[in-house]
Amino acid sequence: MADEPNLIVSIDQLLPEELFIVPIRHRPVFPGMVTPLVIAQGPLAEAVDNISKKTGYLGLVMQEDDNLQEIVPEKLFHTGTAVKILKKINLPDGGLHILVNTLQRFSIREFVYTKPNVVAKVDYHPDQVNPKDKEIIALTRAVLSQAKEIMSENPFFTEEMKVTLVNVDDPGRIADFVCGILNLEKREFQTILETFDVKQRLEKALAFLARELDLLKLQKKIQGQINNKIEQQQKEYYLREQLKAIRSELGQGPDSREKNAEYYRSRIESAHLPEEAREKALAEVEKMEYVDANSNEFVVIRNYLDTIIELPWETPQFEEIDIARARQILDRDHYGLEDVKERIIEYLAVLKLKKSEKGSIICLVGPPGAGKTSLGKSIAAALNRKFFRFSLGGMRDEAEIKGHRRTYVGAMPGKIIQALKVVKTKNPVLMLDEIDKLGVSFQGDPASALLEVLDPSQNTDFRDHFLDMPFDLSYVVFITTANTLDTIPGPLRDRMEIIQLSGYILEEKMEIAKRYIIPRAISDNGLKPGNAPKLAANTIRAIVDGYSREAGVRSLEKQIQKIYRKAATALVENKKFPRVLHVSDLPPLLGPPPFSRKDEAVIKYPGTVIGLAYTSLGGATLMIEANAMPGRGRFKVTGQLGKVMNESAEIALTYIKSYTQDSSYFNKHDIHLHVPDGATPKDGPSAGITMATALLSLYRGKKIKQGFAMTGELRLTGEVLPIGGIKEKVIAARRVGIKKIIIPQENEKDFAQLPEVLKKGITLFPVQTFPEVDKLVF
């Protein structure tokens, strides 16, 4: 034993002061073992080959970055292991396979050479151990005891490892061997190599052993818990849990399902979800970890979690509303509609005073082409919020609103939730277009599903069937559009604030054409202001008056687009085209005008009267016609009339029989009452006095005075009752050049509230009873 220290000293003296440095990856090599190394083809292999023929000593040092291809001294750890080459085999590709004996720890004092290879001056650190130190003896026994316990529990340790551990008697070597067979991190291995004090090395080894033993106990605990619960259908779950524990012990990363679960778990924690939604989402994540990634159920769960994390859950902050800017936006985007714009400004002013982000439900009702959709966009711009539109027209499935239940692969959330996913904000402006055209089928009633969505007292906890958790819709500004209120269910209509849009008069259409339609048509057809023909004012008036009589401006835009398409064609084909278009140029371009003011407003025959109606397309004039022939007193009504309008015709006939006191005429004649156009459905009570006047004119065989149009409901007693849609009916009368209008006296106040531009040139005749109508028109 006395000679042993001298032997160690003599070995140290044999080691050279300078070592050729060979970089290694992943983990260091500890002294006291024989290990193989493979060196790839290149300058390093050639240098090692030369050294093997001379001294045979190398220094193995680990790289800090395993991905480095070149030797960078700054990226090397400064502690390594000196080795002696025992055997060398030249590989066919030019590389080397060497077997080395690891001898001693060393630390690099300085680098002698760094290129092409690294040579360094080193200091050696032999283990200094007092074999009688009781603390070292105790630590060594503790390390051996725990190592044997781990080896008995872990099937990955071979019998050769167990035999080697029994035969090693040096404390430092025991610590190195035990740490070498454990599954440690790269820097933990390097820490053991850099611990020159044997006592400290044993303590660190003991700590790593204790950690490994805890992992093994945890694995046994997991196995025990699973064994208590396992049944035939739970075998797959058991194997997966066991594999997870083994993977954790081996330091391997999670599989794809675990990565997915971790991703969704982190996204859910950062999504500001309410407590109920958070718990439900995390439960789905737990389920995802145990479902086969190729199964349909996995796809459903993933779609569900994607929907949750993409929804805007965070409560929005109130943004100040600039009323002046809002008014400017409305005036910029829309001409006319002053009453509508004023109503929107009032709505925005209330929001500004309340300083609330809570949304509202507005219903814009008006004829097609009146600007309902563009008004919704302007409201969103004025509120500085995102805008999203989808159409309800023809929708017959309530799942389109409230989503599908997650019972099949194709399940989706409803349109409301999908819209919020797209806009990624909780307070957008959502436009639900064509709410009056919702359908009903065996799949449900979407209008009833909308009752919850469009109710501010209920939509704070809206539950989509797909989500199955509450989502607050109270911050959304809902804007619905409709052509008529008649087909909207009463409970749904009551939840909305109705804003009526009337049609445009001729002067307004002309101004809209100048400001918006003509510049857009020039741009859309590839023309420029310099080469596009100009439309004179009287030409625009002729287009509006003769080719576009609808309440909106879509037909007008089509006609103007048609003109500029022909201008673009003439430009491409180098043909002549007028620089300024006059009224005489329109028939060759647009064909004969379909409307004639002269024909529509002229009464040519007895039994013919002009009535005023309000339809889903806006105001309209109706030429009601009556004719008689010898017969037996039969009465026939045509023109696709609804139930209410048929009843009005019966009331008109009964009243006229009473009014004329001549039953013989009506008993000896068959009377036919017709309301053109025959293809257009019509209903409502407001044609009562018009039908009675037509029957009276037929009875007397006398035409009524020219230039009159009328509207009003007739009672059997001859009283004239008030009706609705005065503004639209006045617009319709102006459209065909009628200046004299008969209305119920109770509607006089409605006429007084109309803009002056509408009332200008109109002579109003309010009546209370039918005899007053008789005196006016005969």
Side-chain angles (χ1 to χ4, degrees):
M1 293 293 295
D3 295 338
E4 191 170 339
N6 294 332
L7 179 62
I8 293 174
V9 170
S10 62
I11 290 176
D12 290 341
Q13 291 173 349
L14 290 174
L15 293 172
E17 185 181 357
E18 295 181 357
L19 282 177
F20 182 87
I21 303 300
V22 176
I24 57 176
R25 298 175 182 175
H26 307 305
R27 57 185 293 171
V29 178
F30 293 107
M33 61 186 69
V34 176
T35 186
L37 290 175
V38 176
I39 300 174
Q41 175 190 8
L44 182 62
E46 295 175 3
V48 171
D49 190 29
N50 291 332
I51 289 172
S52 68
K53 297 173 183 176
K54 297 178 182 177
T55 64
Y57 288 103
L58 302 172
L60 303 184
V61 180
M62 191 165 62
Q63 295 183 130
E64 292 181 7
D65 185 355
D66 292 337
N67 296 318
L68 287 175
Q69 299 299 320
E70 297 183 358
I71 304 174
V72 181
E74 293 78 9
K75 295 295 182 179
L76 294 172
F77 287 102
H78 279 230
T79 301
T81 304
V83 301
K84 173 74 173 177
I85 299 175
L86 300 178
K87 189 174 181 181
K88 178 196 70 171
I89 299 174
N90 294 318
L91 299 176
D93 63 355
L96 289 178
H97 186 286
I98 59 176
L99 190 66
V100 298
N101 184 23
T102 57
L103 301 174
Q104 195 71 261
R105 283 174 169 77
F106 69 84
S107 57
I108 296 174
R109 191 191 323 149
E110 62 176 322
F111 290 104
V112 180
Y113 302 109
T114 56
K115 290 186 178 181
N117 295 301
V118 178
V119 176
K121 290 185 178 181
V122 300
D123 295 323
Y124 296 99
H125 302 280
D127 291 346
Q128 302 294 332
V129 182
N130 181 359
K132 296 181 180 180
D133 189 331
K134 292 182 179 180
E135 194 169 355
I136 289 194
I137 293 172
L139 284 170
T140 304
R141 290 180 179 178
V143 167
L144 287 171
S145 175
Q146 289 212 6
K148 289 175 182 177
E149 186 178 354
I150 288 174
M151 287 184 173
S152 64
E153 296 287 344
N154 195 330
F156 288 96
F157 292 112
T158 62
E159 285 299 323
E160 288 81 358
M161 291 181 180
K162 297 176 183 177
V163 171
T164 303
L165 186 63
V166 171
N167 292 325
V168 175
D169 56 0
D170 181 77
R173 296 290 169 87
I174 288 173
D176 289 344
F177 178 76
V178 167
C179 291
I181 62 175
L182 292 179
N183 189 27
L184 304 182
E185 296 289 337
K186 176 179 178 178
R187 289 190 176 273
E188 291 175 337
F189 280 124
Q190 185 65 25
T191 300
I192 293 295
L193 188 66
E194 293 174 356
T195 305
F196 304 135
D197 184 89
V198 175
K199 181 179 174 183
Q200 292 180 6
R201 199 185 310 157
L202 286 166
E203 289 173 347
K204 291 181 179 178
L206 198 59
F208 290 139
L209 283 167
R211 186 180 71 183
E212 190 73 20
L213 196 57
D214 286 342
L215 287 173
L216 282 172
K217 289 178 179 177
L218 179 61
Q219 182 185 12
K220 288 186 70 177
K221 180 181 177 182
I222 293 171
Q223 289 173 335
Q225 291 173 345
I226 295 171
N227 288 333
N228 291 336
K229 298 178 182 178
I230 192 166
E231 295 177 3
Q232 187 65 30
Q233 64 268 27
Q234 292 177 314
K235 284 184 178 180
E236 184 180 352
Y237 175 85
Y238 164 73
L239 294 172
R240 192 176 292 112
E241 285 296 313
Q242 191 177 46
L243 184 61
K244 186 190 294 184
I246 292 170
R247 190 182 290 113
S248 174
E249 185 181 337
L250 293 176
Q252 297 177 359
D255 63 12
S256 60
R257 278 174 298 182
E258 291 171 337
K259 289 179 180 177
N260 278 333
E262 190 59 36
Y263 164 77
Y264 284 113
R265 196 173 282 114
S266 64
R267 290 291 304 273
I268 288 167
E269 293 294 348
S270 62
H272 306 283
L273 270 68
E275 189 58 32
E276 180 186 344
R278 179 179 171 276
E279 290 177 1
K280 189 167 287 188
L282 290 176
E284 292 295 323
V285 174
E286 293 293 330
K287 192 187 297 182
M288 172 185 266
E289 292 187 89
Y290 307 117
V291 175
D292 185 5
N294 297 316
S295 68
N296 290 338
E297 188 178 357
F298 183 86
V299 175
V300 172
I301 294 173
R302 188 179 61 191
N303 291 343
Y304 178 67
L305 292 173
D306 284 339
T307 300
I308 290 175
I309 62 178
E310 288 173 13
L311 281 174
W313 294 93
E314 197 166 1
T315 302
Q317 298 296 318
F318 175 74
E319 291 187 18
E320 279 295 336
I321 300 170
D322 188 341
I323 297 296
R325 176 175 171 271
R327 197 181 288 276
Q328 180 186 0
I329 290 172
L330 290 171
D331 289 338
R332 178 196 68 194
D333 296 343
H334 303 88
Y335 179 79
L337 304 175
E338 297 303 327
D339 52 342
V340 176
K341 289 192 283 190
E342 195 59 37
R343 181 65 194 84
I344 292 171
I345 291 296
E346 290 169 6
Y347 162 73
L348 297 179
V350 171
L351 281 185
K352 181 179 177 69
L353 287 176
K354 287 170 61 180
K355 294 189 179 298
S356 170
E357 279 290 313
K358 295 292 183 178
S360 299
I361 295 96
I362 299 171
C363 183
L364 301 175
V365 182
K372 298 184 295 296
T373 303
S374 60
L375 266 174
K377 293 179 181 178
S378 297
I379 292 172
L383 286 169
N384 198 25
R385 298 191 188 184
K386 292 188 177 180
F387 178 82
F388 189 91
R389 172 198 166 274
F390 63 88
S391 178
L392 300 175
M395 189 179 289
R396 296 177 298 136
D397 188 356
E398 69 174 23
E400 295 283 345
I401 303 296
K402 300 200 70 172
H404 305 86
R405 300 192 184 279
R406 289 182 295 122
T407 53
Y408 57 94
V409 178
M412 293 187 303
K415 293 284 188 183
I416 307 294
I417 296 298
Q418 289 183 40
L420 292 172
K421 278 176 60 180
V422 173
V423 297
K424 299 188 184 303
T425 178
K426 206 171 184 178
N427 63 344
V429 174
L430 292 189
M431 173 164 276
L432 314 184
D433 228 347
E434 313 292 356
I435 197 170
D436 56 328
K437 297 176 180 64
L438 282 168
V440 180
S441 72
F442 67 92
Q443 294 166 312
D445 180 6
S448 299
L450 278 174
L451 291 176
E452 181 186 1
V453 175
L454 300 182
D455 190 337
S457 63
Q458 295 183 37
N459 63 12
T460 52
D461 293 314
F462 172 71
R463 282 183 180 267
D464 184 274
H465 288 156
F466 181 83
L467 282 183
D468 195 25
M469 60 177 66
F471 191 90
D472 189 357
L473 297 180
S474 62
Y475 296 95
V476 179
V477 174
F478 288 100
I479 299 177
T480 64
T481 71
N483 296 132
T484 178
L485 293 173
D486 298 340
T487 56
I488 303 176
L492 186 57
R493 193 165 59 238
D494 290 343
R495 282 163 166 77
M496 302 183 292
E497 191 167 349
I498 309 297
I499 298 179
Q500 291 274 359
L501 280 77
S502 305
Y504 297 107
I505 62 175
L506 185 145
E507 291 78 9
E508 289 176 330
K509 282 189 173 184
M510 290 177 62
E511 196 63 32
I512 291 170
K514 290 177 189 175
R515 294 191 184 190
Y516 305 104
I517 298 176
I518 292 174
R520 186 162 60 237
I522 291 172
S523 174
D524 290 349
N525 290 286
L527 299 170
K528 296 179 181 178
N531 58 15
K534 293 180 173 54
L535 299 180
N538 62 337
T539 310
I540 299 175
R541 176 182 289 272
I543 296 172
V544 174
D545 203 26
Y547 295 87
S548 170
R549 288 282 182 87
E550 88 285 2
V553 293
R554 284 192 184 138
S555 176
L556 175 61
E557 183 165 11
K558 289 177 184 176
Q559 300 300 330
I560 293 176
Q561 288 276 3
K562 187 176 182 180
I563 289 172
Y564 284 101
R565 280 199 305 272
K566 292 184 180 297
T569 306
L571 181 66
V572 170
E573 295 179 346
N574 294 319
K575 293 181 179 179
K576 290 184 178 179
F577 200 86
R579 295 295 302 157
V580 179
L581 290 175
H582 298 286
V583 177
S584 58
D585 297 318
L586 294 180
L589 296 173
L590 302 178
F595 304 107
S596 169
R597 185 182 299 274
K598 179 178 65 176
D599 292 342
E600 289 190 16
V602 174
I603 303 297
K604 296 181 179 180
Y605 310 103
T608 306
V609 182
I610 298 174
L612 298 174
Y614 175 58
T615 70
S616 62
L617 303 178
T621 54
L622 296 177
M623 183 74 80
I624 295 180
E625 305 166 343
N627 206 343
M629 62 200 73
R632 294 178 293 175
R634 288 177 294 186
F635 183 56
K636 183 178 182 181
V637 181
T638 57
Q640 281 213 59
L641 307 187
K643 183 178 179 181
V644 175
M645 206 163 183
N646 269 302
E647 290 176 352
S648 293
E650 296 284 350
I651 292 169
L653 178 63
T654 301
Y655 176 75
I656 292 301
K657 284 181 180 180
S658 171
Y659 184 69
T660 60
Q661 296 294 314
D662 186 358
S663 59
S664 63
Y665 173 84
F666 294 99
N667 291 334
K668 294 177 182 178
H669 290 84
D670 291 338
I671 298 175
H672 187 171
L673 187 72
H674 179 63
V675 185
D677 296 322
T680 306
K682 311 163 194 73
D683 202 5
S686 64
I689 65 171
T690 315
M691 292 177 172
T693 305
L695 292 171
L696 185 59
S697 174
L698 176 68
Y699 167 76
R700 291 176 176 171
K702 183 180 178 182
K703 295 189 293 182
I704 70 167
K705 295 178 183 177
Q706 297 292 342
F708 274 94
M710 61 189 70
T711 179
E713 182 178 353
L714 181 67
R715 294 180 65 177
L716 282 173
T717 58
E719 291 180 67
V720 180
L721 299 180
I723 40 78
I726 289 293
K727 183 177 180 180
E728 289 77 8
K729 291 175 180 179
V730 172
I731 291 173
R734 291 182 65 93
R735 202 177 293 138
V736 296
I738 291 174
K739 304 295 185 181
K740 301 173 184 177
I741 301 176
I742 300 173
I743 66 170
Q745 191 170 37
E746 290 187 40
N747 288 118
E748 192 175 6
K749 61 182 183 299
D750 300 321
F751 182 82
Q753 294 177 358
L754 296 182
E756 290 300 323
V757 67
L758 279 183
K759 295 188 288 186
K760 186 178 179 182
I762 297 290
T763 304
L764 192 70
F765 298 93
V767 296
Q768 284 185 302
T769 61
F770 183 77
E772 296 176 56
V773 180
D774 185 5
K775 290 178 183 179
L776 287 170
V777 298
F778 287 103

